[in-house]
C-alpha cells in the first residue's frame, strides 16, 4: 500500500509538472529582439556608408559617369538618413524598458511594433541596396582605371 501511494504521488506530480504552463517571453519581447537584431546588423554599415560617400564624392563631376557617382552618393546619404530617422522614431514610440528589457507593451504599442518591424525590413533593403550599388559602381571605376592599363 505504501508503494502504491508513492507511485500515485509520483504520477500526480509528473502530471502536475507537465500541465504547468512554461513561462514564455511575451510575444512582443521576441518581436522587439528581432527588430533590434536587424538594427544591430545595420549599425556597423553606417561607417561603410560614410566611407563610400567620401569615395564617390571625389569622383563626382558634370560628366554622365560623374552624375552616376553623385546619384549613388545621394542614395547612400538617403539610406543613412533613413536609419537615423527610424532610430529616432523608434525611441519616440518606445521607452528603454520596452526596447531593451522586454517590458510588456500596450495594445497600441504592439501595433506600432508591427509597423516598426516592417519599416526595419525596408530599411535593411534600402541600406544594403545602396551599399551594393555604390560598391559595384566603384568596382567598375577601379577596373576602368586599373594600373595594368598604363
Amino acid at each position: 500500500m505504501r508503494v502504491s501511494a508513492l507511485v500515485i504521488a509520483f504520477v500526480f506530480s509528473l502530471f502536475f509538472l507537465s500541465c504547468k504552463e512554461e513561462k514564455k517571453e511575451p510575444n512582443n519581447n521576441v518581436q522587439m529582439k528581432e527588430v533590434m537584431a536587424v538594427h544591430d546588423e545595420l549599425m556597423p554599415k553606417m561607417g561603410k556608408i560614410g566611407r563610400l560617400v567620401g569615395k564617390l564624392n571625389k569622383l563626382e563631376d558634370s560628366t554622365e559617369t560623374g552624375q552616376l557617382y553623385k546619384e549613388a552618393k545621394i542614395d547612400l546619404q538617403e539610406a543613412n538618413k533613413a536609419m537615423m530617422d527610424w532610430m529616432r522614431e523608434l525611441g519616440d514610440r518606445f521607452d528603454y524598458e520596452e526596447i531593451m528589457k522586454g517590458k510588456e507593451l500596450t495594445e497600441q504599442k504592439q501595433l506600432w511594433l508591427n509597423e516598426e518591424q516592417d519599416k526595419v525590413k525596408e530599411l535593411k533593403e534600402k541600406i544594403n541596396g545602396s551599399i551594393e550599388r555604390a560598391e559595384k559602381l566603384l568596382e567598375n571605376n577601379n577596373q576602368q582605371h586599373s594600373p595594368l592599363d598604363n
Side-chain angles (χ1 to χ4, degrees), residues 7-55:
V7 170
I8 291 171
F10 179 73
V11 169
F12 179 74
S13 64
L14 283 177
F15 176 76
F16 176 75
L17 289 173
S18 68
C19 290
K20 186 178 178 182
E21 186 178 323
E22 289 182 33
K23 185 172 181 171
K24 296 181 180 177
E25 291 185 31
N27 183 45
N28 57 35
N29 188 15
V30 172
Q31 189 177 8
M32 184 66 80
K33 284 181 180 180
E34 291 171 359
V35 167
M36 293 311 296
V38 175
H39 163 270
D40 294 346
E41 175 189 336
L42 295 175
M43 274 309 293
K45 295 181 180 186
M46 296 301 99
K48 186 176 209 171
I49 285 176
R51 288 188 297 278
L52 289 169
V53 165
K55 289 177 183 180

Side-chain angles (χ1 to χ4, degrees), residues 35-93:
V35 167
M36 293 311 296
V38 175
H39 163 270
D40 294 346
E41 175 189 336
L42 295 175
M43 274 309 293
K45 295 181 180 186
M46 296 301 99
K48 186 176 209 171
I49 285 176
R51 288 188 297 278
L52 289 169
V53 165
K55 289 177 183 180
L56 291 167
N57 208 30
K58 293 175 187 174
L59 298 170
E60 181 184 324
D61 59 30
S62 61
T63 65
E64 187 176 331
T65 304
Q67 291 304 298
L68 291 175
Y69 297 130
K70 181 179 181 177
E71 290 170 16
K73 178 186 81 169
I74 291 169
D75 193 28
L76 288 165
Q77 290 170 326
E78 288 174 354
N80 185 38
K81 183 181 181 323
M83 178 69 166
M84 297 305 127
D85 291 347
W86 176 80
M87 289 189 307
R88 187 186 69 251
E89 290 167 9
L90 185 77
D92 289 346
R93 284 183 155 185

